[in-house]
Amino acid sequence: MKFKGLRVIIVFEGRDAAGKGGTIKALTERVSPRVFRLVAPARTRPDREKSQMYIQRYMQHFPCGGSSDL
């Protein structure tokens, strides 16, 4: 991935106290903050988002094709 310049998006979903926070912390403490971005949406979803697929909450944070943004 590094040599080809590919990007990876990891989305964690699960119940409270399922271990998501510990896993995220273990991953992010080993990575330079210059090469990743952590996004945590609000716990409550607006009515519009309740009728959409869960992944759509994160789509606005995905980089555009060809952009150099994280």
Side-chain angles (χ1 to χ4, degrees):
M1 289 189 292
K2 184 176 181 178
F3 296 114
K4 290 187 177 185
L6 301 176
R7 297 176 180 184
V8 176
I9 297 174
I10 302 171
V11 177
F12 288 90
E13 177 185 15
R15 295 179 179 223
D16 289 345
K20 299 178 302 293
T23 303
I24 293 168
K25 182 179 177 182
L27 288 171
T28 56
E29 67 186 13
R30 292 173 174 83
V31 181
S32 170
R34 290 183 283 163
V35 297
F36 78 93
R37 180 174 53 198
L38 181 64
V39 176
R43 294 185 91 157
T44 57
R45 296 187 294 164
D47 289 336
R48 180 174 180 235
E49 286 184 358
K50 289 180 181 178
S51 65
Q52 298 174 339
M53 293 188 309
Y54 191 80
I55 192 72
Q56 286 182 284
R57 299 181 76 191
Y58 299 95
M59 295 298 256
Q60 63 186 343
H61 302 288
F62 289 7
C64 299
S67 72
S68 61
D69 297 342
L70 288 176

